[in-house]
């Protein structure tokens, strides 16, 4: 597009023609006002008739007159004019197009026109722009909004222009089409996309979308604000816990304008000078750049000074910037400093928690935050930023954020310890002393890193962090596989898969019972228990987990509830397929359809791969340890209980007894509990119980296996040993619907 041609961008011109052909068919006239220089902003498209009035003051009346003859493209001047304020002797300025559009009226019920203005009029949250949009909404329906850059020769290529199609107000307004022309793309694909969008009654296309539920009059029409994808993602943010606005967590720090506050500009050498941070000083990696010869220095009043923990953002985000706001957290080494008007500085309120601060800082760097703030203009406004919806962490997420922060600090401490040790390698008197120091002092650091690295190994995680029944069976599987007894290894894999599903299913039953949510799969287990021939098996446990995955009532429990991890175990198709294959193998093995020795090696490899997939899906078990409460002592004065417990984590039942304070006075000594990520305790009795096995003399976990004629038999998850139980066990099982 040559600037001297005075023509619209060919792509934008064709998009305008398509919009008129679909929304307001008929010969189009373009109405403008002669500028002071006697030049038009651009030449009209060849088929359109151009009408030019001597002054912008006659545009509104001329527009109404021409609308009676057909569709119209109105191009009001984009200049400011001086207006007199009510206060004598004072004057102000406002845009010409504000007055023109405010006075423009339809000629009749069929009047339709497009208005070409800066995008700011339609996307700004300023009271002036919002009030004008409200006034227009009294007489016009907005049919389509077309945003583009580089479309008018006399305007900078990055400047965003809007063509808005308006039609005389109807009782029921039509859906609104919104399209943003890309900066550089195949023109044919853009035109095809707009053609499809104009035919759509809902949904979105590559470059645009349809707004079926029209926003309130006066609301910003920023492209991203009403995009269906953004609206859906914004609603999904509540999954973190809840939503609030950034302004409730942070307050804006005053900024220094290098023009209006030029009297404060000084040099670095002057006493009391502080660095003025510009937008370019906020780096994309989340840090603040070092001072350079181009840095400004000011003598700023105290209210402008930044503090450690403040957030500072670039106020301008260019069209080619990567998605996400460019934000940095101010550190002690960045001070003293003050924000310039090309940044936005935010300070946490006194009530804002460290967990909220961490989550907000990460969220602002996401593409969603960028889109919610708005990219239809180059500038981010403080008002729009403070209105930004941000997620609030619930208790479980807050705990996870604390744990992550603690882990990061621990890793940073290890890193500094290693750097110190390496730096001191050659400061000893002799090389022998340096050698001994590196070996001796580095031993503990190396061992800590090696232990942490082991957690990347799923087998190590299962053996050390999973609940006892699963970890014990996994250890036996690995031992059998390494010993070379292929039949024993194959059977161990299948038994471990059954115990993994058995344990998680029994926990799911206990959690559902605690929440008073009935599960239909309980009936099949009850029938098996009371049948007296064979107890529940892998298929029954899988049925419980599959029902839990789809149960609406369980889905409605709080996000931090441990049932949601269990519900996800078989939710994926890969895990469900692995479970099915393992169940088939287990069934064949139990009915003596044994594999030939020559077929065992590949079968072992395939079965262990499926078991590994299930264990990977069950990593949530590492965050919900199994506790055996051994003793409780309630203190009525402090209203707390001293709880002695054994954490049955890992592959061995011999673990130390620990003590913790609890606000609950209903914890049962001798019972098993699930402790979730939010540190809540969930009773597992009578679905899971623990005691010393009379057969092997080892402490084990048990579940009800058979109830012939009311006599309960328990089976160990670790060894499969069966024990008879006293009559009171039957009453407990009856209370939870298993008898």
């Amino acid at each position: 597009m040559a600037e001297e041609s005075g023509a619209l961008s060919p792509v934008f011109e064709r998009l305008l023609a398509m919009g008129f052909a679909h929304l307001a068919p008929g010969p189009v006239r373009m109405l403008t006002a002669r500028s002071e220089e006697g030049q038009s902003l651009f030449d009209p498209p060849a088929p359109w008739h151009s009408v030019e009035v001597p002054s912008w003051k006659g545009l509104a009346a001329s527009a109404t007159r021409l609308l009676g003859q057909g569709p119209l493209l109105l191009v009001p001047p984009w200049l400011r004019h001086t207006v007199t304020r009510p206060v004598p002797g004072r004057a102000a300025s406002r845009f010409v197009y504000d007055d023109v559009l405010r006075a423009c009226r339809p000629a009749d019920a069929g009047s339709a026109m497009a208005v070409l203005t800066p995008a700011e009029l339609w996307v700004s949250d300023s009271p002036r722009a919002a009030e004008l949009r409200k006034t227009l909404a009294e007489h016009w329906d907005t049919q389509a909004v077309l945003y583009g850059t580089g479309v008018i020769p006399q305007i900078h290529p990055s400047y965003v222009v809007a063509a808005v199609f308006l039609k005389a107000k109807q009782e029921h307004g039509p859906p609104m089409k919104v399209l943003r022309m890309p900066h550089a793309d195949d023109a044919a694909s853009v035109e095809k996309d707009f053609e499809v969008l104009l035919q759509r009654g809902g949904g979105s296309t590559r470059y645009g979308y349809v707004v079926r539920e029209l926003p309130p009059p006066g609301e910003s029409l920023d492209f991203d604000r009403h995009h269906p994808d953004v609206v859906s993602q914004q609603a999904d943010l509540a999954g973190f816990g809840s939503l609030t606005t950034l302004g409730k967590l942070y307050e804006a720090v005053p900024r220094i304008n290098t023009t209006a506050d030029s009297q404060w500009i000084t040099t670095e050498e002057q006493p009391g000078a502080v660095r003025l941070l510009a937008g370019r000083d906020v780096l994309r990696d989340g840090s603040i750049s070092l001072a350079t010869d181009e840095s400004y220095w000011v003598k700023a009043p105290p209210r402008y000074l930044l503090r450690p923990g403040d957030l500072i953002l670039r106020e301008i985000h260019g069209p080619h910037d990567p998605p996400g706001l460019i934000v940095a957290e101010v550190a002690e080494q960045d001070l003293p400093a003050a924000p310039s008007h090309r940044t936005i500085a935010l300070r946490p309120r006194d009530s804002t928690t460290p967990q909220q601060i961490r989550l907000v800082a990460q969220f602002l760097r996401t593409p969603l935050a960028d889109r919610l703030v708005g990219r239809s203009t180059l500038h981010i406004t403080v008002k729009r930023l403070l209105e930004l919806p941000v997620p609030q962490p619930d208790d479980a997420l807050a705990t996870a954020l604390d744990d992550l922060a603690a882990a990061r600090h621990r890793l940073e401490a290890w890193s500094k310890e290693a750097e110190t040790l390496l730096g001191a390698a050659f400061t000893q008197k002799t090389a022998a002393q340096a050698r001994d120091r590196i070996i001796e002092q580095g031993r503990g650091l190396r061992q800590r890193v090696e232990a942490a690295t082991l957690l990347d190994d799923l087998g190590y995680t299962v053996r050390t962090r999973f609940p006892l029944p699963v970890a014990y069976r996994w250890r036996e599987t690995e031992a059998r596989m390494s010993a070379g007894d292929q039949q024993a290894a194959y059977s161990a894999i299948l038994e471990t898969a059954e115990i993994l599903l058995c344990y998680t299913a029994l926990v799911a039953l206990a959690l559902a019972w605690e929440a008073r949510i009935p599960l239909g799969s309980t009936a099949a287990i009850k029938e098996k228990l009371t049948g007296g021939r064979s107890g529940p098996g892998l298929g029954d446990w899988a049925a419980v987990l599959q029902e839990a995955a789809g149960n609406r009532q369980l889905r409605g429990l709080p996000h931090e509830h441990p049932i949601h991890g269990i519900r996800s175990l078989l939710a994926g198709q890969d895990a469900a397929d692995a479970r099915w294959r393992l169940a088939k193998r287990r069934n064949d093995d139990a009915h003596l359809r044994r594999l030939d020795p020559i077929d065992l090696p590949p079968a072992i490899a395939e079965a262990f791969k499926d078991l590994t997939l299930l264990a990977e899906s069950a990593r949530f078990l590492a965050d919900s340890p199994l506790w055996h409460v051994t003793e409780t002592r309630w203190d009525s004065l402090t209203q707390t209980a001293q709880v002695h417990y054994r954490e049955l984590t890992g592959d061995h039942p011999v673990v130390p007894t620990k003590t913790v304070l609890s606000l609950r006075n209903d914890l049962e000594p001798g019972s098993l509990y699930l402790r979730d990520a939010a540190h809540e305790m969930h009773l597992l009795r009578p679905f899971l119980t623990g005691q010393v096995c009379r057969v092997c003399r080892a402490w084990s976990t048990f579940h009800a296996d058979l109830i012939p004629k009311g006599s309960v038999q328990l089976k160990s998850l670790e060894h499969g040993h069966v024990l008879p139980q006293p009559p009171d066990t039957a009453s407990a099982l009856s209370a939870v619907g298993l008898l």
Side-chain angles (χ1 to χ4, degrees), residues 353-375:
T353 66
Q355 296 91 345
Q356 291 172 322
I357 291 173
R358 283 193 288 269
L359 193 59
V360 164
Q362 293 299 323
F363 175 67
L364 290 177
R365 297 185 176 99
T366 64
L368 178 58
D370 194 351
R371 297 184 72 179
L372 289 174
V373 167
R375 268 190 173 261

Side-chain angles (χ1 to χ4, degrees), residues 119-126 129-131 133-134 145 147 176 178 209 211 214-227 371-377 381 383-384 387:
E120 176 271 343
L121 173 61
W122 308 97
V123 304
S124 173
D125 287 313
S126 68
E131 187 59 36
R133 293 193 293 266
K134 287 182 181 178
V145 183
Y147 294 114
M176 180 172 60
V178 186
Y209 59 90
V211 181
L214 300 179
E219 184 169 331
S220 167
L221 298 182
D222 183 276
F223 180 82
D224 286 316
R225 175 172 287 197
H226 306 289
H227 196 291
R371 297 184 72 179
L372 289 174
V373 167
R375 268 190 173 261
S376 294
T377 60
T381 65
K383 180 178 183 294
R384 179 75 65 85
E387 292 175 349

